[in-house]
Each structure stands twice: as C-alpha cells, then as structure tokens.
Amino acid sequence: MRILVIDDHGLFRAGLALLLQQLQSNVVVIEAESCEQALTLSNQHLKSFELILLDVFLPGMFGLDGIAPLRERYRDARIVAVSSSEDPDLMLRALDLGAMGYIPKTTSSKIMFDAVRLVLDGGIYLPPAILAVLSRRGLSLSKDSVAITPGRKQPTQPGLSPREIQVLYLLMQGRSGKEIALDLTLSLNTVKSHTSAILRALNVTTRTQAVVAASRLGLRFAGDVL
C-alpha cells in the first residue's frame, strides 16, 4: 500500500508516516512538501497511491486548490484533507472539491489512525465540529453518524442500483458529470439521470450533502466498485 503525505512541516510528516506504517506491514509512505512537488513525483509513483493526506495550508498552491490536479494525476487515490483549522466551512469546501474526509491536526493519534482506516475501508470521515453548521443548513446529523466504528457491518445501500453506487462513488471524489460519463462509458444525460436518482434516494440536493448523507448511513465503497 502506498500513501502520499503532503505537508510543509517535516516533523508532522515524519510523525504521520510512523502512524501510517502501523496500518499494515507493506505500507510505503511517500512525502512531499507541497502540491507542486507532489504533482511532479517520478513515474514510479504515478497512479499508485491508495490514499493522499493533504495539508490545507501549504506554501505555493493552496492545499484545497490541489485536490483537482492531484485527483487527475492519481486517479485511484482517496484524498483526505488535514488541517490545523476546524472551520466547518473549510471542511465543507474540502468535501465539495472531492475530499473523502477531513481530519483536524488536533485530532488524537488514535482517532486519526481510525479515521484513515475508515477512509481506506471505503468510508468517509467527518469530525464532530461539522455538526452545528450542518444543522443550520438543514441537514440533520447525529453524533453517532460520524463516530468511527471499525468492523461495523456493511449497511444496506439506500435503494441504489449498482450503477448508481458507481456514480455516487465518483461524485464523492468530486468528478464532474462529463468525467463520470467518460469513466463509466455513459452518456451525460444518463449520468444526470443517475445523479438525480441518487440525490432523491439520499434526500439531499447537493454533492456535499450527499457526502454527509453517505457518512450518516455508514456507506462503504469497495475498491472494486468500478
């Protein structure tokens, strides 16, 4: 398993690398100081990351602005934002851009470890600080919905077809309708139809709300979902 850690603080990268190596015996952690450096890694690393941990505040390219180019370059990687900020609006922006989770740097090592495992397992990690802003925006979320529960049984999908699950997974990654159509060899109108059905099934109106709803329902996306 290869994991890319992008952070401009060497001590934090080193500590995170030690934590991540406890995931399994074959973990290889590649470090980068900036998005620019991460985007110019040698060919041996291309399309080989399963997870990218991205600091939000980086010199040069702002971390969240790097999500789209990183996703394009390393298409199979799940991207998780990591930040010293616990601003709910920043968290929502990260989700809206395609992050599969947001981990504050104030998080304990145990919770961070479990959050990473959750994302690698196909889940989505959201910190409790996001609850209040979601409530204000009309999307109710209980504390239990964001709790990390390793080993919990795979919940029943909310009335979604296998194809809709595939579309939902790509929506989670911030893919546009055109990108999803290309990836799944579908027409754009078909993708739009699937997207509308997904939003109705989850009782939401936006992609970001769909991410939160997927977390609330405990949905998991297997590596072979596509």
Side-chain angles (χ1 to χ4, degrees):
M1 177 194 301
R2 289 181 178 268
I3 299 176
L4 175 60
V5 176
I6 310 173
D7 194 289
D8 60 324
H9 292 93
L11 187 61
F12 180 80
R13 291 199 312 272
L16 191 52
L18 286 174
L19 181 69
L20 295 171
Q21 285 165 359
Q22 298 176 38
L23 288 167
Q24 52 184 255
S25 60
N26 67 340
V27 170
V28 176
V29 179
I30 307 299
E31 300 179 24
E33 297 181 354
S34 65
C35 288
E36 290 87 348
Q37 183 182 10
L39 290 167
T40 56
L41 291 174
S42 61
N43 290 335
Q44 64 178 316
H45 300 309
L46 290 179
K47 299 182 180 179
S48 62
F49 295 113
E50 292 172 67
L51 179 71
I52 297 176
L53 296 174
L54 172 65
D55 185 15
V56 169
F57 298 107
L58 290 169
M61 182 185 294
F62 181 60
L64 293 187
D65 293 336
I67 290 179
L70 285 167
R71 182 168 45 79
E72 182 176 352
R73 191 167 183 81
Y74 307 112
R75 295 180 64 87
D76 296 330
R78 291 183 170 99
I79 298 178
V80 176
V82 180
S83 177
S84 57
S85 172
E86 298 186 40
D87 179 0
D89 289 323
L90 190 62
M91 297 179 195
L92 289 175
R93 184 182 173 196
L95 295 178
D96 195 49
L97 290 170
M100 300 292 284
Y102 188 107
I103 306 176
K105 288 186 176 181
T106 55
T107 299
S108 70
S109 59
K110 181 184 184 305
I111 292 179
M112 183 172 288
F113 181 81
D114 287 344
V116 168
R117 281 177 44 183
L118 179 68
V119 173
L120 287 171
D121 189 41
I124 300 159
Y125 176 74
L126 300 175
I130 205 171
L131 299 176
V133 70
L134 292 176
S135 178
R136 291 199 303 270
R137 297 181 184 186
L139 185 58
S140 178
L141 192 64
S142 69
K143 286 187 178 180
D144 289 341
S145 67
V146 294
I148 298 176
T149 52
R152 66 190 290 183
K153 294 182 179 179
Q154 171 72 24
T156 302
Q157 306 293 0
L160 299 178
S161 69
R163 179 63 85 186
E164 287 166 350
I165 290 295
Q166 292 177 324
V167 173
L168 174 58
Y169 176 67
L170 293 175
L171 284 172
M172 297 297 183
Q173 295 183 321
R175 304 279 178 89
S176 68
K178 290 183 179 179
E179 289 174 320
I180 294 173
L182 183 62
D183 285 344
L184 300 181
T185 318
L186 300 172
S187 71
L188 184 57
N189 284 338
T190 299
V191 171
K192 290 179 179 178
S193 177
H194 284 316
T195 301
S196 295
I198 290 165
L199 297 180
R200 285 196 303 271
L202 295 176
N203 195 29
V204 298
T205 58
T206 68
R207 194 205 69 84
T208 302
Q209 290 179 339
V211 173
V212 176
S215 172
R216 174 171 56 83
L217 293 172
L219 298 186
R220 299 290 188 276
F221 299 87
D224 59 353
V225 67
L226 299 181

